[in-house]
Amino acid sequence: MTAPEESSPFPQGQVEVLTDLRCAQVVTDRAQLRLLAPFMGQERTVSQVALLLNLSTTATYKVTQRFLKLGLLCETRREARAGRALRYYRAPAAYFTPFTVLSMEQIGQHNRAAHLDRFERNFARTVRRDLQGGWGALTQVMPSGEPFYDIATQGGASWDPLDDDSPVLLSGWNLVTLPPAEARALQREITAVVLPYLNRQATGKTYLLGVFLTPDDG
């Protein structure tokens, strides 16, 4: 096999339009995309990406080979060294998946299902660890007629999730009746609260945050 030319077929800033379902399923799957992301718009080796992802070189090599076969990655050059040549790979800086290839509903359902499953596991683990003895679900009805349940004790003590000694948890689905202008205002208020915490470098514990709002048409 001859070494590829020095220039990458995926120039920086190029958007690759996907028409293959298998490729579309990879780049719209958050878990798989995290494995591909280090190559996007960057020329890197398998060992460099393994270090970034905190994975073994063997595991990263297998993932890289799968992405190569799908055409999501390309080999850009080889660097001669003792033993096997060092291979560099690059992916496009961005991908575009038409909804005719993979619908927004399919993308959303797949990612939400994975994250909701992860949320439920972590939520249950935290509750078992931090809320021991006498706690349960107290089911009630709000003045609006909407039923809900609260975490409480049989004796009537209610769990306050905002208390400094409580675990950092937030969970709940609510039906709210709003005129269109208030619904838009709520959307913007929630977005304004969340945005400052996204896409930043920080140290500490990782938290899973999900925010959902949609018209409820049954």
Side-chain angles (χ1 to χ4, degrees), residues 45-143:
T45 65
V46 168
S47 58
Q48 287 173 335
V49 171
L51 188 62
L52 286 170
L53 296 176
N54 196 28
L55 293 175
S56 70
T57 303
T58 300
T60 307
Y61 175 78
K62 289 179 180 179
V63 169
T64 302
Q65 291 302 304
R66 182 164 66 89
F67 291 156
L68 277 169
K69 289 178 182 177
L70 286 171
L72 293 169
L73 275 182
C74 69
E75 183 182 330
T76 55
R77 63 189 174 95
R78 299 182 191 180
E79 190 176 281
R81 62 174 181 174
R84 300 178 65 179
L86 190 61
R87 302 186 181 199
Y88 288 81
Y89 304 93
R90 183 193 288 268
Y95 296 96
F96 177 79
T97 301
F99 289 150
T100 52
V101 175
L102 191 63
S103 71
M104 189 65 215
E105 181 182 6
Q106 291 171 304
I107 295 170
Q109 283 180 342
H110 177 81
N111 284 290
R112 279 191 294 272
H115 280 80
L116 284 172
D117 181 65
R118 182 176 176 181
F119 172 82
E120 294 297 347
R121 289 197 310 272
N122 284 285
F123 186 88
R125 184 183 300 116
T126 302
V127 169
R128 285 195 301 268
R129 183 188 66 224
D130 296 344
L131 295 177
Q132 298 179 1
W135 293 94
L138 178 65
T139 304
Q140 302 179 77
V141 178
M142 292 189 289

Side-chain angles (χ1 to χ4, degrees), residues 150-176:
D150 196 9
I151 298 176
T153 65
Q154 189 173 350
S158 183
W159 172 58
D160 182 3
L162 301 182
D163 188 89
D164 287 341
D165 294 328
S166 295
V168 180
L169 293 172
L170 185 62
S171 174
W173 289 98
N174 300 284
L175 290 175
V176 292

